[in-house]
Amino acid sequence: MMRLRVLTPSRLRRALLSRLDSRYVTKPDHRQDLKDALWEVQMLRREVVALRDEIDRLRRGNAAPARAAADPKAAEAHRLATETAEAVDTLLQNEMRIWQAIDGLSARVGDSGRVG
């Protein structure tokens, strides 16, 4: 790639560079943003692994409610806990879909300057 060098007055060069610097992200800032995003992904990955381990642990311990069925209060508490867990799971899945839609919309707005 050929570079074109043009002699310009220093005031004009400083004004142009300050204008460009204010409009664009610098390489160090961009690198830091990428590092931050990678760190977040790694944290989320660890959280997902921990949640999967917790789910596995709860599934292995699922044999206990058979004994609790003899006690009506325990059976009712288990039913309510199960329904609540399912409702919270659905709520979290919907929240994740909302954030994915927001991220997709932000990406489209950021790429073209408008929605479409």
Side-chain angles (χ1 to χ4, degrees), residues 6 14 26 29 32-33 39 46-48 52 57 66 76-77 87 95 103 106 114 116:
V6 177
R14 278 193 308 267
T26 63
D29 288 342
Q32 186 60 45
D33 288 344
W39 181 82
R46 284 193 282 269
E47 287 182 23
V48 167
R52 285 183 180 156
R57 185 186 66 79
E76 179 68 10
E95 183 180 8
D103 289 342
S106 296
R114 62 178 179 81

Side-chain angles (χ1 to χ4, degrees), residues 56-70:
D56 291 341
R57 185 186 66 79
L58 290 172
R59 284 184 178 154
R60 283 191 305 269
N62 203 14
R67 291 179 310 204

Side-chain angles (χ1 to χ4, degrees), residues 34-35 41 46 55 75 81:
L34 289 173
K35 286 178 185 177
V41 167
R46 284 193 282 269
I55 288 170

Side-chain angles (χ1 to χ4, degrees), residues 24-104:
Y24 297 102
V25 176
T26 63
K27 282 185 181 181
D29 288 342
H30 189 60
R31 283 188 184 114
Q32 186 60 45
D33 288 344
L34 289 173
K35 286 178 185 177
D36 291 344
L38 180 61
W39 181 82
E40 278 190 50
V41 167
Q42 290 170 345
M43 288 297 297
L44 289 172
R45 183 179 297 142
R46 284 193 282 269
E47 287 182 23
V48 167
V49 168
L51 287 172
R52 285 183 180 156
D53 290 343
E54 181 71 12
I55 288 170
D56 291 341
R57 185 186 66 79
L58 290 172
R59 284 184 178 154
R60 283 191 305 269
N62 203 14
R67 291 179 310 204
D71 183 11
K73 286 185 179 181
E76 179 68 10
H78 181 264
R79 184 187 66 78
L80 290 173
T82 304
E83 288 178 8
T84 303
E86 290 171 358
V88 169
D89 184 48
T90 303
L91 179 71
L92 292 173
Q93 288 176 7
N94 289 337
E95 183 180 8
M96 181 59 72
R97 287 185 191 112
I98 289 170
W99 281 110
Q100 288 172 345
I102 289 171
D103 289 342

